[in-house]
Amino acid sequence: MASLSARKPALPGSEEAHRTAAALMREFAERTGVIGHAPPQRYLWTDAFAVCNFLALGETECAERLVEQVHAILGRHRADDTRSGWIGGMDALTAIEHPTRGGLRIGKPLEERAPDALLDAELEWERDGQYFHYLTRWMHALDQFSRNTGHADAGRWARELAQTAHRAFTYAPAPGAPLRMYWKMRIDLSAPLVTAMGQHDPLDGLITTLQLRAHRPAARVGHGPDLDVELREMAAIVAGTNLLSDDPLGIGGLLVDAYRLAQLLRVRPGDNPLLGLVTGAAANGLTRYLATQPFARPLENRLAFRELGLAIGLQAVTRLWTVLERDAASLDAQPTLRRALDQLVAQVPLARAITDTWCDVERSNDPQWRAHEDINAVMLATALVPSGYIELGESTSSGSSSQL
């Protein structure tokens, strides 16, 4: 394994980037107990990206071990909880077949807020529970694992998690009112912890549901829910949301979502109105973000994993451009989409600047980096070798585009 000081700045996607990402992921695996003798430390967001990274690096055994650990640890109640066993009250035999049926904990350091405790917005960030946008990341990771390994159960686990999450997080504020979503739920999904709706949660849910349906086996019996209801209801929620964000992590997420959608549509993706909305929101948000001159700020006022989320998304832009250019006539018929895509392509070099910056910080043993080392390192590895996270592979079925 290469030492930290020996690693050089690496162009995303290059051979050097692959080596750097491999070293980062091996250190992560050792540090958090995926391999070696350290006790497992699981955190759902980071682990979702890590599964995809291991797949991209050819470390299938590490990916499988990580999936098993996440289900065994985050699928169960905390050791310091009065409750015990699997979330959702499953017995051990049922949990082997359906480990995601009760949802998955975030893995935050503090136990969830007591039912009679007042909300402390700052402290809530450190408290456990379930986040919808973490669950969709894990659905994506399971689907990627299934696509890359042929592990059919993983695809079913993803679809069962999608159904569970949709039922728990969506609600009608009044009879007949449009559906909305909670941002954070209790560990057992019995009640909301934060009632506000995450801005991009409905879009994450919609595109992830499309992805899971596209990878549904032809023989549907025994392969999990079809997600028809979830797809229709999530599409209705998305129709009433504002996707514009000037947060780098949010912008990166929009860009990955746009590329996922383009891969799923396959035939004339440029004709799809949702793709235009997502791409336009990302382009406008990136313009707003760059107008604040974020990279002129001192490093201690910046968060690596948020900027690396943008770097990951920017690397989806060139792939999105390639997909859309295959149907140039459709793209030219939508000048707004064309302008947004041109804006985004012009900013793709930022991905290299971001990864170079944080590679330098990582090598310097900076205390700010170490404070969030796992999420920073894993997302840096994703930014260097993004294919495991942003490329869906070939296991998609035709016809999914007709649902939108």
Side-chain angles (χ1 to χ4, degrees):
M1 180 175 64
S3 67
L4 295 180
S5 60
R7 294 206 289 267
K8 302 176 182 177
L11 179 67
S14 69
E15 184 177 343
E16 181 62 35
H18 192 282
R19 287 196 293 270
T20 301
L24 287 166
M25 291 307 300
R26 171 161 285 277
E27 291 159 10
F28 165 80
E30 293 172 345
R31 191 168 57 244
T32 66
V34 180
I35 59 176
H37 303 291
Q41 303 172 49
R42 304 278 51 97
Y43 186 73
L44 192 58
W45 173 280
T46 304
D47 291 338
F49 281 85
V51 167
C52 297
N53 291 349
F54 285 134
L55 293 171
L57 296 167
E59 298 287 349
T60 306
E61 185 175 339
C62 280
E64 184 170 12
R65 193 173 301 164
L66 182 51
V67 168
E68 292 172 352
Q69 286 189 4
V70 165
H71 292 166
I73 295 171
L74 300 183
R76 299 173 66 92
H77 286 289
R78 298 166 57 96
D80 58 3
D81 201 320
T82 57
R83 299 162 295 187
S84 62
W86 290 86
I87 301 170
M90 296 177 289
D91 59 46
L93 289 177
T94 302
I96 291 173
E97 291 295 318
H98 308 282
T100 62
R101 187 175 280 179
L104 297 165
R105 293 190 291 111
I106 299 164
K108 292 282 189 179
L110 301 181
E111 59 186 327
E112 70 179 12
R113 190 172 82 251
D116 58 349
L118 294 176
L119 174 65
D120 181 324
E122 290 297 320
L123 192 59
E124 193 63 39
W125 286 104
E126 303 303 322
R127 291 195 177 280
D128 218 342
Q130 294 202 37
Y131 282 147
F132 185 82
H133 60 294
Y134 281 35
L135 297 178
T136 54
R137 293 302 184 280
W138 190 249
M139 296 171 210
H140 175 69
L142 286 175
D143 186 59
Q144 292 290 77
F145 182 73
S146 179
R147 288 167 182 265
N148 281 271
T149 66
H151 193 300
D153 282 345
R156 174 172 55 80
W157 296 337
R159 288 186 289 278
E160 290 178 345
L161 181 57
Q163 184 178 68
T164 293
H166 184 87
R167 288 174 175 173
F169 281 83
T170 60
Y171 71 101
L179 290 177
R180 290 184 58 78
M181 299 182 69
Y182 296 122
W183 184 62
K184 185 178 184 181
M185 297 290 294
R186 293 199 173 280
I187 287 172
D188 62 6
L189 298 175
S190 61
L193 285 166
V194 180
T195 58
M197 184 166 72
Q199 184 183 16
H200 294 154
D201 282 8
L203 180 68
D204 284 343
L206 175 60
I207 295 179
T208 302
T209 302
L210 280 170
Q211 177 180 330
L212 299 182
R213 282 171 50 84
H215 189 208
R216 188 175 47 189
R220 294 168 61 178
V221 177
H223 290 284
D226 57 27
L227 304 178
D228 289 346
V229 172
E230 290 79 4
L231 182 65
R232 289 195 302 270
E233 292 185 348
M234 204 61 74
I237 302 174
V238 170
T241 60
N242 175 15
L243 300 177
L244 182 63
S245 171
D246 60 1
D247 170 69
L249 184 59
I251 296 165
L254 286 174
L255 293 172
V256 172
D257 280 347
Y259 182 51
R260 282 202 293 165
L261 183 58
Q263 292 176 84
L264 292 166
L265 295 171
R266 289 181 174 267
V267 179
R268 297 182 68 83
D271 285 341
N272 186 269
L274 180 59
L275 182 60
L277 288 173
V278 174
T279 306
N284 291 335
L286 184 56
T287 297
R288 290 191 182 189
Y289 173 64
L290 295 178
T292 67
Q293 298 184 309
F295 305 118
R297 299 171 190 160
L299 281 172
E300 58 266 25
N301 296 333
R302 294 160 58 181
L303 287 173
F305 67 90
R306 304 198 80 84
E307 292 186 8
L308 290 165
L310 175 59
I312 294 164
L314 286 170
Q315 290 180 84
V317 169
T318 52
R319 294 164 168 86
L320 176 62
W321 182 87
T322 299
V323 170
L324 293 179
E325 280 293 315
R326 294 173 188 160
D327 182 23
S330 174
L331 185 58
D332 288 340
Q334 297 194 66
T336 302
L337 176 57
R338 167 68 79 176
R339 284 195 299 272
L341 193 58
D342 288 345
Q343 284 179 257
L344 291 165
V345 168
Q347 300 300 339
V348 167
L350 277 175
R352 172 68 185 273
I354 292 169
T355 55
D356 278 359
T357 294
W358 293 111
C359 277
D360 288 343
V361 173
E362 188 269 342
R363 287 194 305 275
S364 70
N365 203 30
D366 180 84
Q368 181 195 8
W369 175 273
R370 301 303 166 201
H372 305 282
E373 184 171 20
D374 292 339
I375 190 171
N376 288 343
V378 168
M379 292 191 70
L380 176 56
T382 310
L384 290 168
V385 183
S387 58
Y389 185 71
I390 65 178
E391 296 286 354
L392 295 185
E394 299 301 322
S395 298
T396 51
S397 62
S398 62
S400 57
S401 61
S402 64
Q403 299 296 325
L404 287 175

